[in-house]
Amino acid sequence: MAAAGVVSPSSALARDWGLTLFVVTEPPMSSKPGPVSYSPGSRAVARLIFENRGEAPLEGIRVEVDLAGARPAVTGTSTWTRDGNTVRATIDTLAPGGSIELPLVVELADGTERGARGTGGEARIRASVPASGETLVAEAEWPIASCADAFHAALRQIRYGTFAALRAAVDASREPDKSLPGRTVFTFKPDGGRQEASAVRFSERIAQARGLDSYYTTEDIRWISGRLIDDIGVYLGQDRYPGLCTGVAEWTAILQDHVGRFTKRAGEIAAYRASLEQAARAAVATASARSGAEAGAEVGAEVGEDGLDADDAIEPWDAAASLLSSIGDTDGPPAGAALFVAARDGLEAAGAALPPARRADLARAFAALERLWYLDLAADRATAVAGGFTGTLDAIRKAHDTTCTCGS
């Protein structure tokens, strides 16, 4: 008599006589390097190889396989007969030195619990020879990739990637940028109606607050953003458990409703920018045209390359830097808001070399671009917050769709 404990492949040690069993579980067709795992609901195969290493024939060998987490895929022409989750077969005769192979095909169960735990399919195999009393016991298994494990790992990646960026964006939205001057350099009088005037007032408030939009410091918004951050952080940091894949769509939908106020704020700032951009475009075009008439066509071309195409949004810093170069700045434009201080100083340094009309046009263009620059600063912060919340929830949903394939 011999016994076998089987993973894949495995064999039973045998005496010089009697029945020997080898069990080989075939890997899935799509196996990648590393531990073999199967997909829930897929078919898997175990090859049961019987040998007679004795000197006498073995007759009426009874083979019985009990399955868990798998269903026998038995057809009408199969060697196996099925009784629930148990299959049986009989080997009539196995001659000395002979061998016979019985393939066992199963369909792996896709139940949520077994899939989430990564239990997969298991088979307990028992073969006996009634005449001699020989009995072999062996096992086979087809592990299913754990949905909960895979989803848990994906959530950790989101926690240290997308979610970390969201937290940084929310923190930044509540703090002023102390490197900014706290005021605008140029004076600008809007003449494009109420919407443009509102955009100018808003941009000047952003300048005075050093980039801070007071919307994000109100008690209501601080509480909501803080609560969302806490809830998402707890979710992403939870321990792995079998039901981790459940309820994701419902939970993210609830949070998405609260995120709407942040996307709305980003939209409001975008609307401010759109209304002021027309005034900025007109002011830059006027200053460029006058500069081109007085200094040659190259100035207008330079500014055009920096964002004055009718189909593109103006890049305020680029356009202001180009205008500054047109009045003789040779040191190169400074970064950020300091550019507008340099523009003011450049206009003063030019003195009488600048005709009054051109000076006025340049000053108005710089003023419009300065306010547009502050609107872009506010828009970037608002978009980072809104996009951070939405992007984190989208990442969770995508991770769920990708990893939770176990029926949950």
Side-chain angles (χ1 to χ4, degrees), residues 10-259:
S10 182
S11 64
L13 298 176
R15 298 177 181 178
D16 292 338
W17 57 270
L19 184 65
T20 303
L21 169 60
F22 297 82
V23 179
V24 179
T25 53
E26 298 286 353
M29 295 293 292
S30 60
S31 284
K32 299 178 180 179
V36 172
S37 61
Y38 300 77
S39 299
S42 63
R43 285 199 168 194
V45 180
R47 296 163 51 211
L48 280 56
I49 305 170
F50 296 90
E51 292 184 359
N52 182 359
R53 296 187 176 182
E55 297 179 357
L58 299 175
E59 297 182 347
I61 302 170
R62 297 174 182 173
V63 183
E64 182 175 284
V65 181
D66 292 319
L67 297 169
R71 294 181 291 269
V74 177
T75 64
T77 59
S78 173
T79 304
W80 302 94
T81 59
R82 177 179 178 177
D83 180 10
N85 252 31
T86 300
V87 292
R88 299 181 177 88
T90 300
I91 302 173
D92 293 332
T93 301
L94 186 58
S99 67
I100 188 171
E101 178 177 326
L102 298 182
L104 175 63
V105 182
V106 299
E107 292 178 353
L108 300 181
D110 58 359
T112 300
E113 183 70 13
R114 294 188 70 86
R117 290 185 181 277
T119 306
E122 301 170 346
R124 183 173 176 82
I125 305 159
R126 181 184 178 88
S128 60
V129 183
S132 65
E134 294 180 62
T135 301
L136 298 180
V137 176
E139 294 178 349
E141 62 181 23
W142 302 275
I144 289 176
S146 169
C147 291
D149 282 347
F151 188 42
H152 185 259
L155 292 181
R156 287 179 64 84
Q157 291 183 343
I158 296 170
R159 183 183 182 187
Y160 296 116
T162 308
F163 179 63
L166 163 62
R167 295 187 65 171
V170 171
D171 289 343
S173 74
R174 300 171 178 175
E175 298 293 334
D177 182 348
K178 295 181 180 179
S179 69
L180 297 176
R183 61 185 178 86
T184 53
V185 175
F186 291 92
T187 301
F188 183 76
K189 183 177 181 180
D191 57 9
R194 182 179 301 176
Q195 208 167 14
E196 182 182 308
S198 296
V200 169
R201 286 194 298 271
F202 178 77
S203 67
E204 290 175 349
R205 288 200 302 270
I206 295 298
Q208 292 165 4
R210 291 183 166 87
L212 177 65
D213 180 357
S214 60
Y215 175 85
Y216 295 97
T217 61
T218 61
E219 183 177 354
D220 181 46
I221 292 302
R222 287 181 68 91
W223 186 89
I224 291 173
S225 59
R227 179 61 184 270
L228 286 172
I229 289 290
D230 288 345
D231 287 352
I232 295 173
V234 169
Y235 183 84
L236 293 175
Q238 65 186 312
D239 293 334
R240 171 211 172 279
Y241 70 99
L244 185 61
C245 284
T246 60
V248 173
E250 295 80 5
W251 177 75
T252 55
I254 293 172
L255 267 62
Q256 193 74 55
D257 288 342
H258 295 289
V259 169

Side-chain angles (χ1 to χ4, degrees), residues 295 298-299 302-303 306 318-333 339 343 358 362 366:
E298 290 185 4
V299 172
E302 286 179 2
V303 177
D306 287 326
D318 291 342
S322 184
L323 286 174
L324 180 57
S325 69
S326 75
I327 58 175
D329 180 74
T330 58
D331 296 330
L339 171 64
R358 186 182 174 198
L362 284 168
F366 284 131

